[in-house]
Amino acid sequence: MTTRRPPHRLPFGRTRRSKREATGASGARALLGRRRARFLQIAAATLLLPPLLLILLAALTPLPPLLRDQHRYDSSIRILDRHGKTLMEVRADDGARARWVPLDQISPELQRAMVAAEDQRFARHPGIDPIAIGRATFQNLWHRRVVSGASTLTQQLGRNVSPRPRTLRGKVREMALALRIEASLSKEQILEHYLNLVSFGPSLRGVEAGSRFWFDKPANALSLAEAAMLAAIPRGPSMYNPLKAPDAVRQRRDRILDRMLAAGAASQQDVERAKREPLSIHGKATGWGAPHFARSLLSGAVHPEVGPLSERASVIRTTLSASLQREVQTAARTQLSSLQGRNATAAAAVVIDNASGDVLAWLGAPDFLDEKHGGQNDGVLALRQPGSTLKPFVYAEAMEELGWTAATLLPDVELHVTTEQGQYSPRNYDGVFHGPVRLREALANSYNVPAVHATSILGPGRVLERLRKAGFSTLDRDASHYGTALALGDGEVRLLQLANAYAAIARGGFVTPVRSVIEAVDRAGRPIPFPAPASDRVMQKGTAAVLVDILRDPHARMSAFGLHSVLDLPFDVAVKTGTSKGFRDNLTVGFTREVTVAVWVGNFDGSPMQDVSGITGAGPLFRSVMLAAMEAREAGAFGFEGIDVEPAPICPLSGLRAGPHCPHRASETFLRGTAPERACDVHVEVSVDRRNGLRAGDGCARHQTNKRVFESWAPPFARWAVTAHRPTVPGWSPLCPGADDVAGRLALKYPHSGTVFVSDPSLPEASEGIVLRADAPLSVRRLRFVVDGKTLAERERPFELTIRMAPGEHRARVEAEGLQNVLVDEQRVRRNRML
C-alpha cells in the first residue's frame, strides 16, 4: 500500500498544487471569464437594444399633423360684445369649446402648476422618464395592480394627437412618438401644444376654454389657487369635475401646491394663501348670447362684402352691447307673455347707433331653442311686409318732387285706383274716411288713403326708386308688381333695412351701411379687414327734418293713438307703426337723435294675430327697448339746426295761410320759400236769409239777411263735407234765389259702367262695401237706388248708398219722382274675388 504525500503548504496557508492541477484551474478560470463576458454582453444587449430599437422606431415615426407648424387648429370662435365681454362661443367642428393661445399668454403659475401636476421632471427627460417607469413598475408589481402611471407630459401630448390602443405595442408606439416629439419640438413648444390640446372638462379643449368656463377669465389672469385647481382636472376630467366633486378637486389642488413648493415653483407664503382660498367656480358658458346675430355674422349675411367668417375668424369683437342685448331679450319675452291668447308667439328687435351705424342689439327671436314657435328663424333678417312704416319715404318723395309741405291738404275720402286686377279702394285702419287732412296728420296718424293718393300721383316707379335708395334692396320686383299699394307696405323688407332707413332720416338724410364688427382676427392672429362704410344722401336735409318734426309730434297723432300712449316717452322720439295685411305683422320703428329702434311682433308661420295693433303689439316692446337703449345716454332734442325755415300761421282745416274768416289758426314750420301764399278759401262769409237760414240772393232786402261763415269745399271734399255734416254753404233761399240754381241732370255718377271690383281677402267681408253715388238737380230732395231690379233704399243729399254685392255682374240705377227721365244711365258692374 502506497502512502500519498500530503501537499506542501505555503506560508500563508495556501496549498501548493501540482502543475497539472494548476493548469486545470487556469482553464476553469478562463471558462468562467468567458461565461461572465457573454453574460455581460447579453445583459448589455438586453439593456441597450430596446432603447436603440425605440430610438430607431422614433426616427421612423412621423410627427403628427397636429404638431406641424403649418397646421391650422380647429378652434371655436369667440364672439365678444363691444366691451370685450363674451357674448357666445361657437364651438369647433368636434363640438368642443377651444381657443388656442400662445405660451406667453398663459400665466407662469398655470404652466408651473401643470408641470408639477403631470410631469415634475419634464425639463430633464427626453420624452420618456426611466425613473418614473421604474417607480411605476415596482409599485404596480408590489400591489399586483396598476396603481401608478409613468406617462410624461410629452407622452400625454402624443396620446392626445395620435390615439393608440391600450396594449404593450401601443405603449411602445407612444414612447417612440414621445421621443420623436422631443426631437422635433422645443420644451416650450411641447408645453404650449399640451396646454392647448388637453381636456379640461366636457367639451372643453385647452387652458383658455377651461379657464373661461370654470373661472370666467382668460388663462393669463388666474391666481395661484385657480391655476392649481385647473391643473388638477386633466388627470381625470370626470373624476375631478369641480361641480360634481369639489372636495376631490380641492385635495388634488393642495397636493399640486405642495409639489410646487417642493420644486421651488412657489413660495411657502403663496402656497399657504392659495390653500386658504375657497373654490370659486363659474361653471357655465359665458355670455347672454346672441345666436341669431352670431349665425348671420359668421355666414356673411350681415357683411356680404367681407364674406363668411366661420372658416376664418378666431375672435370677433362686435358692436353689440351685452347688457342691452339682455334687456331687449327680457323685454321681448315679457311682451309676448302679455299677448298670450292673441296668437302672438314671436318677436324681433334691432337697435342701431345713429352716429356710427353700429348695431347695438340684435334679437332674432326671444328663444333660439323654441322649436315649436320657430325660434331659430331670424326676425331681423326675415322678409316681412312692413305695413305703414314705408309711408315717410312716400311723403319724402312728394315733398321733393311735388313741392308738398307738412301743411299740404290731402284727400282721405273714398278713392278708386285702377289695377290690373280691377279697381282698388284703400281703406284706413279704423274704417273711417277723415276727409281733408294735412300731410302732417296723414303721416302721424298713418292714414292709408292719402298715402295711396300720393303714390298714384307720383307713380309707383318713383316711390320704388326712393325706397331702393334708402336701402330696401329686397324690393326687387317691377313697380307694376307693387302698384300704389307699395305705400301700404305691399312688398317684403327686412327689419334691419327698416331700422337703417329710419336711421338715415335721423342723420338728416344720409344712409350708412350698418356696422356689426369692431375688429376680428383670424386663426393665425392676423386682423380681418372690413371696408370703411360709405354714406350716401338719400333725401334732402330739410325733408328729413320735416319728417322728424311730424313723427315726433304727439298732438298730430292724437286722432289715431290718443294723447298719452306707449309711444310717448320722457324724451324726444320720432316713431311710426305699421301693420301688414291680415294682422300678420306688427311693427314699430323710431329714433331719438342717438339711436334707432325697430321691433316686430307676429308669428314665424305667418298666421294672423288676434286683436293686436301697433299700439298694443309692437308699441310696448318698442317703448321698453328704446328706454333700455337710452338709459345711459343723454337724449338730445330734435330741431331745425342749420336749416333755413320759417314759421307761418295756417288754417288747420285747409292748410292754407290763415285768412280773415278762419275760426282757428295753427303755426306750421316751413322750409324757406315753401309756405303757402294763398289765403284760406274754404272759410267764406255768406249772406243768409234770416227767414229760413238759406243763402240769400240779390233779391233779398238787406234787413232780411245777415253774414255768416261757412265752409266751401271743392271736389273731392264737397260730398264728404255733406256726409260729415260740416257747415257747408247752404242752398239758395226760394224767397230770393241766386242765379246759379239751374236744373241739373239725374245721373248715377259712380260706379262707372263696366267697373270691376276686386275683393281683398285680408279684410273682413263686412268692410268691403261698394258705394253707389248719384247727382241730381237742386230741386230733387230724394232718390231711389235700384240694383238688379230691386229697390234697396231711398236717400236724401248726399245721394249715396253703400251696398255689398255678391261676385258676378250686376245692374244699378237711380230713380227720382216727378222727373220724366226716371231711369238714367243704368250701369253694369262686376265684383270678382282676388286670387
Side-chain angles (χ1 to χ4, degrees), residues 139-159:
Q139 291 178 345
N140 294 339
L141 290 175
W142 179 265
H143 292 280
R144 297 183 180 181
R145 59 186 177 89
V146 177
V147 297
S148 177
S151 292
T152 64
L153 190 147
T154 311
Q155 286 178 264
Q156 295 180 47
L157 173 62
R159 190 164 60 238

Side-chain angles (χ1 to χ4, degrees), residues 545-701:
V546 172
L547 291 177
V548 171
D549 194 54
I550 294 172
L551 295 174
R552 63 175 284 271
D553 187 353
H555 296 281
R557 62 173 175 260
M558 182 172 58
S559 176
F561 300 100
L563 188 57
H564 301 289
S565 70
V566 295
L567 304 182
D568 298 318
L569 283 89
F571 43 78
D572 244 358
V573 59
V575 62
K576 184 74 187 69
T577 63
T579 302
S580 67
K581 284 184 178 181
F583 303 94
R584 290 176 174 83
D585 304 284
N586 194 234
L587 303 100
T588 301
V589 56
F591 51 84
T592 61
R593 290 177 67 98
E594 294 76 25
V595 298
T596 296
V597 172
V599 303
W600 166 83
V601 172
N603 298 291
F604 283 123
D605 62 5
S607 60
M609 296 173 285
Q610 300 170 3
D611 300 323
V612 177
S613 65
I615 206 69
T616 60
L621 177 57
F622 170 84
R623 179 183 180 88
S624 298
V625 174
M626 181 60 82
L627 287 172
M630 291 296 296
E631 185 175 359
R633 298 172 182 260
E634 183 177 351
F638 289 120
F640 290 90
E641 292 85 357
I643 303 172
D644 192 8
V645 296
E646 57 178 332
I650 64 167
C651 171
L653 190 61
S654 68
L656 298 173
R657 189 176 292 271
H661 304 303
C662 296
H664 305 287
R665 295 189 174 204
S667 180
E668 182 61 84
T669 302
F670 297 91
L671 302 178
R672 180 72 64 180
T674 64
E677 298 180 357
R678 183 161 59 98
C680 174
D681 55 6
V682 170
H683 294 99
V684 295
E685 190 177 63
V686 175
S687 294
V688 176
D689 188 340
R690 294 185 177 186
R691 294 166 291 183
N692 52 25
L694 299 177
R695 187 177 180 183
D698 294 337
C700 287

Side-chain angles (χ1 to χ4, degrees), residues 281-611:
I281 304 301
H282 179 69
K284 61 180 180 180
T286 56
W288 184 259
H292 301 89
F293 170 75
R295 183 179 60 187
S296 299
L297 183 63
L298 295 178
S299 68
V302 184
H303 294 288
E305 71 279 4
V306 177
L309 298 175
S310 56
E311 298 298 324
R312 295 188 291 161
S314 175
V315 179
I316 304 174
R317 186 159 73 96
T318 71
T319 59
L320 264 63
S321 166
S323 59
L324 180 59
Q325 181 76 16
R326 183 183 303 112
E327 292 190 65
V328 171
Q329 185 168 0
T330 300
R333 291 177 175 176
T334 301
Q335 176 59 10
L336 288 181
S337 296
S338 71
L339 295 175
Q340 285 185 352
R342 300 189 186 184
N343 195 38
T345 62
V350 62
V351 182
I352 294 177
D353 179 82
N354 294 336
S356 62
D358 287 358
V359 179
L360 303 178
W362 178 308
L363 182 71
D367 187 354
F368 187 79
L369 301 178
D370 185 2
E371 297 183 3
K372 179 180 179 181
H373 299 118
Q376 295 192 19
N377 289 289
D378 190 346
V380 175
L381 293 182
L383 291 174
R384 294 286 179 179
Q385 289 192 344
S388 297
T389 56
L390 299 185
K391 289 174 182 174
F393 305 97
V394 175
Y395 290 122
E397 182 70 14
M399 290 179 191
E400 295 182 3
E401 298 300 324
L402 303 178
W404 288 9
T405 69
T408 298
L409 201 65
L410 302 175
D412 187 6
V413 297
E414 186 175 357
L415 179 67
H416 302 280
V417 181
T418 302
T419 68
E420 294 180 357
Q421 292 80 23
Q423 287 213 337
Y424 161 61
S425 297
R427 294 288 188 273
N428 291 319
Y429 179 82
D430 58 6
V432 177
F433 294 119
H434 304 91
V437 293
R438 288 174 288 140
L439 189 151
R440 175 179 291 273
E441 297 170 308
L443 175 56
N445 291 289
S446 198
Y447 295 148
N448 292 339
V449 178
V452 174
H453 169 76
T455 306
S456 65
I457 294 177
L458 290 165
R462 293 170 71 173
V463 174
L464 181 60
E465 183 179 358
R466 165 76 61 170
L467 291 170
R468 287 173 177 169
K469 286 182 179 179
F472 296 102
S473 59
T474 53
L475 296 174
D476 53 4
R477 305 288 293 272
D478 294 334
S480 60
H481 171 77
Y482 302 108
T484 56
L486 182 62
L488 308 183
D490 193 6
E492 293 185 327
V493 305
R494 306 187 195 280
L495 192 65
L496 183 63
Q497 295 173 341
L498 194 62
N500 201 39
Y502 270 70
I505 301 176
R507 297 186 194 107
F510 280 102
V511 65
T512 301
V514 296
R515 187 176 78 133
S516 63
V517 175
I518 296 176
E519 60 181 347
V521 296
D522 62 18
R523 296 177 181 179
R526 299 180 298 253
I528 298 175
F530 282 74
S535 298
D536 293 319
R537 179 170 288 284
V538 295
M539 68 178 64
Q540 298 171 10
K541 185 177 182 180
T543 302
V546 172
L547 291 177
V548 171
D549 194 54
I550 294 172
L551 295 174
R552 63 175 284 271
D553 187 353
H555 296 281
R557 62 173 175 260
M558 182 172 58
S559 176
F561 300 100
L563 188 57
H564 301 289
S565 70
V566 295
L567 304 182
D568 298 318
L569 283 89
F571 43 78
D572 244 358
V573 59
V575 62
K576 184 74 187 69
T577 63
T579 302
S580 67
K581 284 184 178 181
F583 303 94
R584 290 176 174 83
D585 304 284
N586 194 234
L587 303 100
T588 301
V589 56
F591 51 84
T592 61
R593 290 177 67 98
E594 294 76 25
V595 298
T596 296
V597 172
V599 303
W600 166 83
V601 172
N603 298 291
F604 283 123
D605 62 5
S607 60
M609 296 173 285
Q610 300 170 3
D611 300 323

